[in-house]
Amino acid sequence: MDEADTHLIGSRCKRCGTYFFPGNVTFCRNPSCDSDEFDAVPLSREGTIWSYTDAQYKPPEPYVAADPFEPYAIAAVELAKERMIILGQLAKGVTVDDVTTGMQVELQLQTLFTKDGQDYVSWVWQPKR
Amino acid sequence: MDEADTHLIGSRCKRCGTYFFPGNVTFCRNPSCDSDEFDAVPLSREGTIWSYTDAQYKPPEPYVAADPFEPYAIAAVELAKERMIILGQLAKGVTVDDVTTGMQVELQLQTLFTKDGQDYVSWVWQPKR
Amino acid sequence: MSRDVVILGAGMHPWGKWGKNFVEYGVHAARAALKDAGVSWQDIEFVAGGATMRNGYPGYVAGATFSQALGWQGNEIMTCYAACATGSQALAAARAKIQAGQCEVALVVGADTTPKGFLAPQKGERPDDPDWVRFRLGITNPTYFSLYAQRRKDLYGATDEDFATIKVKNAEHGFSNEFARYRKKFTVEEVLASPMVASPLRLFEICATSDGGAAVVVASKEYADRLGSQRQVKIGGISTVSPKFASADVEMPDIATDSAAASNAYSFRASIAQKAYEEAGVGPEEVSLAEVYDLSSAMELDWYEYIGLCPQGDAEKLLRDGDTRIGGRVPVNASGGLACFGEAVPAQALAQVCELTMQLRGEAGDRQVSDAKVGVTGNQGLFGHGSSVVLLR
Amino acid sequence: MSRDVVILGAGMHPWGKWGKNFVEYGVHAARAALKDAGVSWQDIEFVAGGATMRNGYPGYVAGATFSQALGWQGNEIMTCYAACATGSQALAAARAKIQAGQCEVALVVGADTTPKGFLAPQKGERPDDPDWVRFRLGITNPTYFSLYAQRRKDLYGATDEDFATIKVKNAEHGFSNEFARYRKKFTVEEVLASPMVASPLRLFEICATSDGGAAVVVASKEYADRLGSQRQVKIGGISTVSPKFASADVEMPDIATDSAAASNAYSFRASIAQKAYEEAGVGPEEVSLAEVYDLSSAMELDWYEYIGLCPQGDAEKLLRDGDTRIGGRVPVNASGGLACFGEAVPAQALAQVCELTMQLRGEAGDRQVSDAKVGVTGNQGLFGHGSSVVLLR
Ligand SMILES: [Zn+2]
Ligand SMILES: [Zn+2]
């Protein structure tokens, strides 16, 4: 993740062009490619909602939940260029009633939780206005 | 283990008479017997050394070693009636030079280690005089 | 080409939360299967055990552990693990062993003891482990179930009532099943009144984890005939295929699908049963009944399509027409499914096979599907595992 | 009865302590085996992976993990675990799959990453777990090795020099093996000067644990012939038998043997190779070379007898006569054995098969055994697992 540009960093196979996220791959997983060289690349910061849901109960550790627990919404978002779906929370305040399948969203950074004085930041999806 | 009589307690299948040590079995392991009922029985307190060795290096946990570490000897002892071999340390002070294969030994109780003020007692084999 | 392999006997330990060691469930199921088959333990030449990863070393070597508990007798052993497909993989190993001519009769066993509550990942920070990462992001198993459920609502017009109807149907099916853990009937209203877990799925629509054990005795047809068995069920086909890259399914525990930027996209789940049908030489239109993985109520609808009972998008119609109820055209989860069992990972795929065996023999009692001739199972789990078994009367 | 199955290719990742993920070793070995076989990954129809229990979920489902790393392509998958016999069990699964006519060509892979130092049991008080109990009593792996070594001294007149001679022999054998971890020659004096670990065995006589990976490509003979392969090695037999009750062997991690009070006593270890010989239709007198589990130097002597190279009690004579050196009548551990490799559990039984494959092809370089026609492996591990593979040129 890159704080300034707010895009996810994946990796891309130098030989066949397949994207990977998370980017920490050792071997290209395309069966017709045996490359093990990758470039770190930014992934599209906009996509289309493939589906969505929420979490009404507190998940177990290692999730660090707000106290009291606040439900949050989750979306699976399809990136056009990469032809892949990436999961993530929807931005704080967005509920399942605010989104639909096919809606356009863009990436934002959000502090998921603070622990020992440190902010843990992750990507979230924000519906486009 | 029984402190007074100094014998190991195993279990014995009520149907076929097979012995088990440790005695905590659920099913009889004799393939021609499908019993699941056992009696707790004392095992022979004398046997014959099948083989022996020692430990010259400190084993990993959960072994609780004396500090500094004291090597100890170990014997595999054949019980005639039960037709089984049981492993255990040789009594404190007995070394591999003091025993041979075929020697008669008998059971003793010995404090293996003390932890949090509690004595952990186990069986050891003592050569018969 | 190869000789026929049949199921000679099936046995189970009832599902539940009994708090016993998994070995007890496995041995109970194995003895029941042996008795049902009329085969003595000492005649078994090969044991394939499904591993459990929650029970220490004895679980890693379940094939050996069950063999020792039944009594070492020199049979060959194997232990398999394939998440939810474990039981089918063990069954496939036993079938291959028999078809290869290396043995005539084999025992397949799976059993598990599960902890209470949420299935959480192991402790410790493991940013390289996708299972850890998704929990860190707040993505639990129900998240995946609900993403598929919501997509059905938006694309195919599924309703919350449809999802609840599946729970009601399966609860009705499993009500008289002595091996099921939950035997209680529900109304659609009761299901819809249960707390929302992950929209649109509710508490009563999400599968629990259970203890349980299942076993089958399999043999060459020649062996079964020599034994005079009149209750043989033939194994038509078994599929334990892996996905094809790029796999387009959103799968636990991944936070992203494969990228199809340089490859074609494939649906893994839709490919699983296809291979089993091909091996069996039957098509989905010939299926009398199916046991599929209703990890959630809504997921059963996806499975109607994955196993070819209807085209994509038509599952709701199949359900609403009552086709998948007992008495309907092609009953699904006559056992009660995961809704009534709860999942016991290494036993579950075998439990599906046990149910089909009872049904194809006409021994399923109150939940008997009439004139059952062809049965199919479907299941799918973590890390590219899935399986399907086709059984024939 | 069944059709022949051959080894088309073998590949390994060098043993060592490389600190990498086990998947890297497995993929390296798999690609080497595919290249050696002249088979493309996409042609592989079945992958049998040996599980590793030390590497989290990816290790439990190694067959899937290796398949994903090589690229999902819809092949069938299986993951096996059988302690030290894991590799042979996976090989047996692939052979059965081919003999059953379900596929023509398969890949078998095992790989492991091991922690440094002693192999200790998992944390926590587990008085029901025999592996925990024996450590609590101070009974470690070398204890078992040394009980057998001492018994050989007392019963058959083995000497400390005999034990050291085996280490010297195997170090000499493995000196030129590019896959071995330890490539250093020793003298008997040097071995005898190493610290005593568990009388009568010394530090240089006890096997270490290593990282490593091994893989083989197996195929039907028809497939290999169509491919035009001139370097086929036939799988004559594979044994993955379990013990017979009452098992009279003192086995890790047990603190007692089975009681033979109501049964006959059997030696498990002596029974393992017998089945592989029977399948292969050859006897020990036809063996050209063997790879056996020298977990300790002394244990190699036991294996001479277990695999039938000599009657019980004659192993010392075989060694002293130089019969088991390269150049002798029946070289044992021409690879260097565990003495030079250290054990990488799910890869080790496959590494034995890889060595025999190279030897039977005449491609073993400086350590080539002349006129090698019949090879046998032997290994044995925890919880009733053992295996033996017979390969034929
Ligand atoms: Zn690539
Ligand atoms: Zn008994």
Side-chain angles (χ1 to χ4, degrees):
Chain A
M1 235 168 320
D2 182 309
E3 294 247 10
D5 290 349
T6 318
H7 48 227
L8 296 172
I9 302 292
S11 58
R12 185 166 191 239
C13 176
K14 283 194 175 187
R15 193 168 309 159
C16 75
T18 296
Y19 293 88
F20 296 93
F21 182 78
N24 49 345
V25 287
T26 314
F27 306 103
C28 181
R29 292 185 189 151
N30 177 349
S32 54
C33 176
D34 62 0
S35 161
D36 50 13
E37 291 188 280
F38 303 91
D39 292 316
V41 292
L43 302 183
S44 305
R45 54 183 308 283
E46 299 187 3
T48 309
I49 289 184
W50 180 86
S51 190
Y52 54 95
T53 181
D54 58 15
Q56 302 267 3
Y57 283 79
K58 192 171 91 167
E61 288 181 5
Y63 187 74
V64 181
D67 188 15
F69 173 68
E70 288 171 34
Y72 51 87
I74 295 167
V77 173
E78 205 159 8
L79 307 186
K81 186 181 68 174
E82 294 84 355
R83 296 188 67 198
M84 69 198 299
I85 296 168
I86 294 184
L87 272 57
Q89 290 192 15
L90 281 156
K92 203 166 281 184
V94 179
T95 75
V96 292
D97 296 330
D98 302 323
V99 293
T100 58
T101 294
M103 181 182 274
Q104 292 299 107
V105 292
E106 65 184 345
L107 202 75
Q108 279 188 355
L109 288 187
Q110 180 180 296
T111 299
L112 273 194
F113 60 91
T114 304
K115 195 179 165 184
D116 301 332
Q118 200 188 338
D119 284 350
Y120 286 79
V121 170
S122 187
W123 71 93
V124 294
W125 299 107
Q126 170 75 51
K128 288 188 74 173
R129 279 133 234 279
Chain B
M1 235 169 322
D2 183 307
E3 295 245 11
D5 289 351
T6 320
H7 48 227
L8 296 172
I9 303 293
S11 59
R12 186 165 190 241
C13 177
K14 283 193 177 187
R15 194 169 309 159
C16 75
T18 295
Y19 293 89
F20 296 94
F21 182 78
N24 50 345
V25 287
T26 314
F27 306 103
C28 182
R29 292 185 188 149
N30 177 350
S32 54
C33 175
D34 62 0
S35 160
D36 51 13
E37 292 188 279
F38 303 90
D39 292 315
V41 291
L43 302 183
S44 304
R45 53 182 310 282
E46 299 187 4
T48 308
I49 289 184
W50 181 85
S51 190
Y52 55 95
T53 180
D54 57 16
Q56 302 268 1
Y57 283 80
K58 192 172 90 167
E61 289 181 3
Y63 188 74
V64 180
D67 188 14
F69 173 67
E70 288 170 35
Y72 51 88
I74 295 166
V77 174
E78 205 159 8
L79 307 186
K81 187 180 67 173
E82 294 84 355
R83 296 190 67 199
M84 70 197 299
I85 296 169
I86 294 184
L87 272 57
Q89 290 191 16
L90 281 156
K92 204 166 281 184
V94 179
T95 75
V96 291
D97 296 330
D98 302 324
V99 292
T100 58
T101 294
M103 182 181 274
Q104 293 298 107
V105 292
E106 66 185 344
L107 204 75
Q108 279 187 355
L109 289 187
Q110 180 181 298
T111 300
L112 273 194
F113 61 92
T114 305
K115 195 178 166 184
D116 302 332
Q118 199 187 337
D119 284 349
Y120 286 79
V121 171
S122 186
W123 71 93
V124 294
W125 299 108
Q126 170 74 52
K128 287 189 74 172
R129 276 135 236 279
Chain C
M1 173 163 82
S2 292
R3 62 185 182 159
D4 284 346
V5 174
V6 302
I7 294 178
L8 256 186
M12 295 170 74
H13 185 287
W15 263 230
K17 286 277 186 188
W18 311 107
K20 296 190 211 162
N21 190 294
F22 81 99
V23 185
E24 293 193 45
Y25 308 136
V27 169
H28 178 102
R31 288 186 173 167
L34 288 164
K35 192 176 170 197
D36 185 48
V39 170
S40 128
W41 158 239
Q42 304 216 43
D43 291 334
I44 294 292
E45 297 166 274
F46 179 69
V47 171
T52 161
M53 297 304 166
R54 281 190 273 263
N55 294 279
Y57 214 100
Y60 302 159
V61 295
T65 300
F66 297 136
S67 293
Q68 183 183 41
L70 290 160
W72 293 129
Q73 47 94 347
N75 54 283
E76 289 200 286
I77 45 179
M78 167 169 291
T79 302
C80 300
Y81 190 70
C84 301
T86 298
S88 304
Q89 213 182 64
L91 183 66
R95 180 182 64 148
K97 191 92 180 161
I98 293 168
Q99 286 189 322
Q102 285 162 16
C103 75
E104 296 298 317
V105 59
L107 174 68
V108 185
V109 192
D112 206 2
T113 302
T114 51
K116 296 202 181 223
F118 261 117
L119 277 180
Q122 289 175 292
K123 301 278 176 197
E125 301 263 321
R126 296 194 311 288
D128 281 349
D129 176 348
D131 203 37
W132 185 89
V133 172
R134 57 123 171 177
F135 273 99
R136 188 73 186 231
L137 292 173
I139 297 170
T140 61
N141 292 8
T143 303
Y144 296 87
F145 309 155
S146 291
L147 288 172
Y148 279 92
Q150 183 63 49
R151 193 165 160 87
R152 284 210 81 89
K153 290 183 73 170
D154 289 3
L155 263 63
Y156 309 127
T159 64
D160 291 352
E161 287 70 23
D162 288 333
F163 302 155
T165 299
I166 287 167
K167 169 72 173 190
V168 170
K169 167 182 79 72
N170 290 350
E172 174 100 20
H173 286 178
F175 184 71
S176 67
N177 188 341
E178 60 181 315
F179 301 115
R181 172 178 174 190
Y182 302 106
R183 276 178 282 168
K184 177 178 180 318
K185 295 186 186 180
F186 289 91
T187 64
V188 167
E189 293 68 34
E190 283 168 337
V191 175
L192 291 178
S194 73
M196 189 72 84
V197 172
S199 307
L201 294 176
R202 293 175 164 83
L203 189 61
F204 291 174
E205 299 181 308
I206 291 171
C207 152
T209 60
S210 293
D211 304 351
V216 294
V217 173
V218 290
S220 67
K221 173 131 184 54
E222 296 81 357
Y223 183 95
D225 288 345
R226 277 201 305 276
L227 207 69
S229 166
Q230 302 297 317
R231 297 154 68 240
Q232 304 172 24
V233 170
K234 184 183 156 188
I235 300 177
I238 305 176
S239 167
T240 59
V241 294
S242 63
K244 279 190 192 177
F245 192 90
S247 175
D249 296 337
V250 173
E251 300 280 20
M252 288 189 285
D254 297 330
I255 55 170
T257 60
D258 290 342
S259 148
S263 315
N264 292 319
Y266 295 95
S267 165
F268 173 43
R269 297 180 184 181
S271 73
I272 297 170
Q274 203 178 323
K275 166 142 196 307
Y277 284 132
E278 278 166 21
E279 273 191 18
V282 299
E285 64 287 351
E286 295 169 73
V287 167
S288 319
L289 81 165
E291 289 283 314
V292 302
Y293 239 47
D294 55 325
L295 287 165
S296 78
S297 56
M299 192 178 286
E300 187 176 300
L301 293 170
D302 293 329
W303 273 107
Y304 294 173
E305 301 166 0
Y306 298 148
I307 63 172
L309 299 186
C310 64
Q312 197 168 337
D314 285 2
E316 287 75 8
K317 179 168 187 323
L318 211 64
L319 174 75
R320 292 170 196 164
D321 289 351
D323 284 358
T324 58
R325 281 199 319 247
I326 293 176
R329 184 171 63 78
V330 52
V332 175
N333 286 330
S335 67
L338 294 176
C340 295
F341 276 74
E343 193 189 21
V345 176
Q348 206 67 46
L350 281 179
Q352 294 182 320
V353 169
C354 288
E355 173 67 14
L356 291 187
T357 300
M358 290 182 268
Q359 291 282 357
L360 293 176
R361 287 170 172 176
E363 298 174 356
D366 288 349
R367 63 183 193 284
Q368 181 64 47
V369 171
S370 62
D371 201 28
K373 284 181 179 146
V374 176
V376 63
T377 76
N379 56 62
Q380 192 259 345
L382 285 76
F383 292 99
H385 289 108
S387 70
S388 175
V389 177
V390 172
L391 298 183
L392 309 170
R393 191 178 65 190
Chain D
M1 174 162 82
S2 291
R3 62 184 181 160
D4 283 346
V5 175
V6 301
I7 294 179
L8 256 186
M12 295 170 73
H13 184 288
W15 263 229
K17 285 277 186 188
W18 312 107
K20 296 191 211 161
N21 190 294
F22 80 99
V23 186
E24 293 192 46
Y25 308 135
V27 169
H28 177 102
R31 288 187 173 166
L34 288 163
K35 192 176 169 196
D36 185 49
V39 169
S40 129
W41 158 239
Q42 304 216 42
D43 291 334
I44 294 292
E45 298 167 274
F46 178 69
V47 171
T52 161
M53 297 303 165
R54 281 189 272 263
N55 293 278
Y57 215 99
Y60 301 159
V61 294
T65 300
F66 296 135
S67 293
Q68 184 183 40
L70 289 160
W72 292 130
Q73 47 94 344
N75 53 283
E76 289 201 284
I77 46 178
M78 168 169 292
T79 302
C80 300
Y81 190 70
C84 301
T86 298
S88 304
Q89 213 182 65
L91 183 66
R95 181 182 64 149
K97 191 91 179 163
I98 294 168
Q99 286 188 322
Q102 286 162 16
C103 75
E104 295 298 318
V105 58
L107 174 68
V108 185
V109 192
D112 206 2
T113 302
T114 50
K116 297 198 181 226
F118 260 118
L119 278 179
Q122 290 174 293
K123 301 278 175 196
E125 302 263 322
R126 296 194 312 288
D128 280 349
D129 176 347
D131 202 36
W132 185 89
V133 171
R134 57 124 171 176
F135 273 99
R136 189 71 187 234
L137 291 172
I139 297 170
T140 62
N141 292 9
T143 304
Y144 295 88
F145 309 156
S146 291
L147 288 171
Y148 279 92
Q150 183 61 49
R151 195 166 159 85
R152 283 210 82 88
K153 289 184 71 171
D154 289 2
L155 263 63
Y156 309 127
T159 65
D160 291 353
E161 287 70 24
D162 288 333
F163 302 155
T165 298
I166 288 168
K167 169 72 175 192
V168 170
K169 167 181 79 73
N170 290 350
E172 175 100 21
H173 286 178
F175 184 71
S176 66
N177 188 341
E178 59 181 317
F179 301 115
R181 173 177 173 190
Y182 302 105
R183 278 179 280 167
K184 177 179 181 314
K185 296 188 186 179
F186 289 90
T187 64
V188 167
E189 292 69 33
E190 284 169 335
V191 175
L192 292 178
S194 72
M196 189 72 83
V197 172
S199 308
L201 294 176
R202 294 174 164 83
L203 190 61
F204 291 173
E205 298 180 309
I206 291 172
C207 152
T209 61
S210 293
D211 303 352
V216 293
V217 173
V218 290
S220 67
K221 173 131 185 53
E222 295 81 359
Y223 183 96
D225 288 345
R226 278 201 304 277
L227 208 69
S229 165
Q230 303 296 317
R231 296 153 70 240
Q232 304 172 23
V233 169
K234 184 183 156 188
I235 301 177
I238 305 176
S239 166
T240 58
V241 293
S242 63
K244 280 191 192 176
F245 193 89
S247 175
D249 297 336
V250 173
E251 300 280 20
M252 290 189 285
D254 296 330
I255 54 169
T257 60
D258 290 342
S259 149
S263 315
N264 291 319
Y266 295 95
S267 165
F268 173 43
R269 297 179 183 181
S271 74
I272 297 170
Q274 201 179 323
K275 167 144 194 307
Y277 284 132
E278 278 167 22
E279 274 190 18
V282 300
E285 64 287 350
E286 295 169 71
V287 167
S288 318
L289 81 164
E291 289 283 314
V292 301
Y293 239 46
D294 55 324
L295 287 166
S296 77
S297 57
M299 193 179 286
E300 187 175 301
L301 294 169
D302 293 329
W303 274 106
Y304 294 173
E305 301 167 1
Y306 298 148
I307 62 172
L309 300 186
C310 64
Q312 196 168 340
D314 285 3
E316 287 75 8
K317 178 169 188 327
L318 211 64
L319 174 75
R320 292 172 195 162
D321 289 352
D323 285 359
T324 57
R325 281 199 317 248
I326 294 176
R329 184 171 64 78
V330 53
V332 175
N333 286 331
S335 67
L338 294 176
C340 295
F341 276 74
E343 193 189 21
V345 176
Q348 207 66 46
L350 280 179
Q352 294 183 320
V353 169
C354 289
E355 172 68 14
L356 291 187
T357 300
M358 291 182 267
Q359 291 282 355
L360 293 176
R361 287 170 171 176
E363 298 174 357
D366 287 348
R367 64 182 194 283
Q368 181 64 47
V369 172
S370 62
D371 200 29
K373 284 182 180 149
V374 177
V376 63
T377 75
N379 57 63
Q380 192 258 345
L382 284 77
F383 291 99
H385 290 107
S387 71
S388 175
V389 177
V390 172
L391 298 183
L392 308 170
R393 191 177 65 190

